[in-house]
Each structure stands twice: as C-alpha cells, then as structure tokens.
Amino acid sequence: MVQIKSDADIQAMLPACQHAANTLVMIEEHIKAGITTNEINRIVHEYTLQHGGIPAPLNYRGFPKSVCTSVNHVVCHGIPDHKKLKDGDIINVDVTTIIDGWHGDNSKTFYVGKPKVRAQKVTEVAREALQIGIDVVKPGATLGDIGYAIQQFVEKNRFSVVREYCGHGIGRVFHEDPQVVHYGKQGEGMVIREGMVFTIEPMVNAGKAAVKLLNDDWTVVTRDRSLSAQFEHTLAVRPNGVEILTLPTI
C-alpha cells in the first residue's frame, strides 16, 4: 500500500532529507587514500548525532554500522571495516537519517584521488542516470517510464543496470511501497501520483548486471568483479513534477 504524503508530511520530512544531504557534503573532504571505511562510519555517526539526527542503518535488520560504504566492485550495502581506501578507488557512501520519525535517504559515489578512465565513466553515467530518472517523474507518468529512461541511457553507454535492488517509498518507514526498479518499459507499472515520496537510486555496473550476495548477508558485489557506481535522491511528487528533498543546505 503506497502512503500518499500531505504537504505537511513532506515539509516534516525535509529536515531529515537535508541532514542526509549535508552529511554527504561533509564527508567528501574525508574521502582520501589511507582512510578506512570504519573511520568514515565514525565521522558520519558522530556528525549525525551532533546535528540532531539518528543514523537509520544502525541495527536496521541487524546491519552493524551507521552508513553503507561500497567500494569498487561492491554494488551496495557494504559494511564499513578496517580496510584503507586507495588512490583510484571509487566509493559509494549511502546515508539515511531519521529526524522526528521521518527518514531522508541519499547516496553518492566519490573518487578517491584521481580516478581511472573506466571508473570515472561508470560513475558519471550513474550520476546522469539518476537525473534522467528524476526528469521523468510527474503525476500521470509510470514507474516503468522511470526504469525505461534509466535503462536506455545506461545500456547506450554499454554498461548495465542492477535488477535485484531498487528505489523505494520512504517516510516514517525506511522502506515502503512502491518499489522503483531502474529498468522497464514505457507505460508499464504503477501510475505516479501527487504526494508519493520515493527514492531513485540506480546501480550501474561497468560489466554485466549479475550480482552476488556475500556470506555476511549484506554486501552485494558484481558477479564479474566489474566496477559499480550509484547515486540516490529522495523525491516528492508535486502537482507539476518532482521536488528533490535531499538537497544540501551547507
């Protein structure tokens, strides 16, 4: 059941969404060779608490950390650990913040030092794919329209879209209906309505689309070990289009 949000609900979500966006701005200066993903987790955790938020991933269905850090061939849900980032790596940092019971969810793929050509290409295609998906959103469009636009763009660039993981409704619950897949056909799927709030978060692989879940039951990697990049925003459907809620204020 899709939860339609009122204007008051959407305004109430904004602090959490802006906090999550500000966290990604804050963490960028720390993304350097030599830092561990555990240190990134610590910085995000402390920043979140200091600014009045709660890190939603911590203990969510048993997830042990406050942020997801997905490096190179890790597609999503990477668990921070003691490994150090190296020059040329790419890392997706996925931040979800709770304020007053509302969730704000966003992610960004960062370069560690100077990116290699293929790493830069897959990252920029993922960044643009998110925007292409956002541009489709308006009342009367369908979720299939979003997936179609993203898939066509990604595959035109000879990359692939992950099928198993998708965007989602969000509000007082971290993951709500609808599921927003990043592939599909025009005109198919649920019709988008004013007041829907959901994420778009395409995961783009430099190789094939197939993925594998590791034994920790969280970390998802590309089956062919190719690079993967992702960007995400939380969006609200408005009468004449879409509002990006996860825009920073710093």
Side-chain angles (χ1 to χ4, degrees), residues 14-55:
L14 266 177
C17 291
Q18 292 171 342
H19 185 301
N22 289 344
T23 304
L24 288 181
V25 173
M26 176 278 301
I27 202 62
E28 183 162 16
E29 67 177 294
H30 300 281
I31 306 291
K32 296 177 181 177
I35 194 172
T36 67
T37 49
N38 263 338
E39 290 176 273
I40 293 170
N41 179 78
R42 177 188 60 78
I43 295 166
V44 167
H45 181 87
E46 292 176 356
Y47 180 89
T48 301
L49 297 182
Q50 288 166 1
H51 291 80
I54 298 169

Side-chain angles (χ1 to χ4, degrees), residues 107-178:
S107 82
K108 178 178 178 179
T109 297
F110 298 93
Y111 301 127
V112 182
K114 182 175 175 58
K116 295 172 179 149
V117 171
R118 194 156 179 81
Q120 185 169 11
K121 177 68 171 175
V122 72
T123 300
E124 294 310 313
V125 167
R127 187 196 311 272
E128 192 166 347
L130 170 59
Q131 188 59 54
I132 285 170
I134 291 171
D135 290 343
V136 171
V137 179
K138 62 181 180 181
T142 70
L143 295 182
D145 295 341
I146 298 172
Y148 175 84
I150 291 171
Q151 181 183 5
Q152 292 300 305
F153 173 73
V154 170
E155 293 179 354
K156 184 178 72 174
N157 281 277
R158 300 187 176 180
F159 295 138
S160 60
V161 177
V162 171
R163 303 301 204 262
E164 291 86 346
Y165 300 88
C166 60
H168 53 89
I170 187 168
R172 289 194 174 278
V173 177
F174 195 163
H175 295 93
E176 301 177 346
D177 289 334

Side-chain angles (χ1 to χ4, degrees), residues 205-233:
N205 294 347
K208 294 181 179 178
V211 299
K212 178 172 67 173
L213 179 66
L214 298 187
N215 290 336
D216 61 22
D217 289 330
W218 280 107
T219 307
V220 178
V221 300
T222 54
R223 191 168 286 277
D224 62 6
R225 305 281 291 185
S226 63
L227 295 171
S228 188
Q230 179 190 21
F231 290 82
E232 174 186 18
H233 273 307

Side-chain angles (χ1 to χ4, degrees), residues 1-7 9-10 13 17 102 137-144 146 167-171 176-181 188-200 233-239 241-245:
M1 178 72 79
V2 174
Q3 301 292 321
I4 298 298
K5 274 70 174 183
S6 67
D7 284 347
D9 290 336
I10 293 169
M13 284 189 70
C17 291
W102 295 97
V137 179
K138 62 181 180 181
T142 70
L143 295 182
I146 298 172
H168 53 89
I170 187 168
E176 301 177 346
D177 289 334
Q179 292 192 337
V180 183
V181 299
E188 294 191 351
M190 183 179 293
V191 175
I192 296 169
R193 296 160 55 199
E194 180 185 351
M196 291 173 67
V197 177
F198 53 79
T199 70
I200 299 178
H233 273 307
T234 296
L235 312 163
V237 182
R238 295 303 206 172
V242 63
E243 178 183 356
I244 300 173
L245 301 182

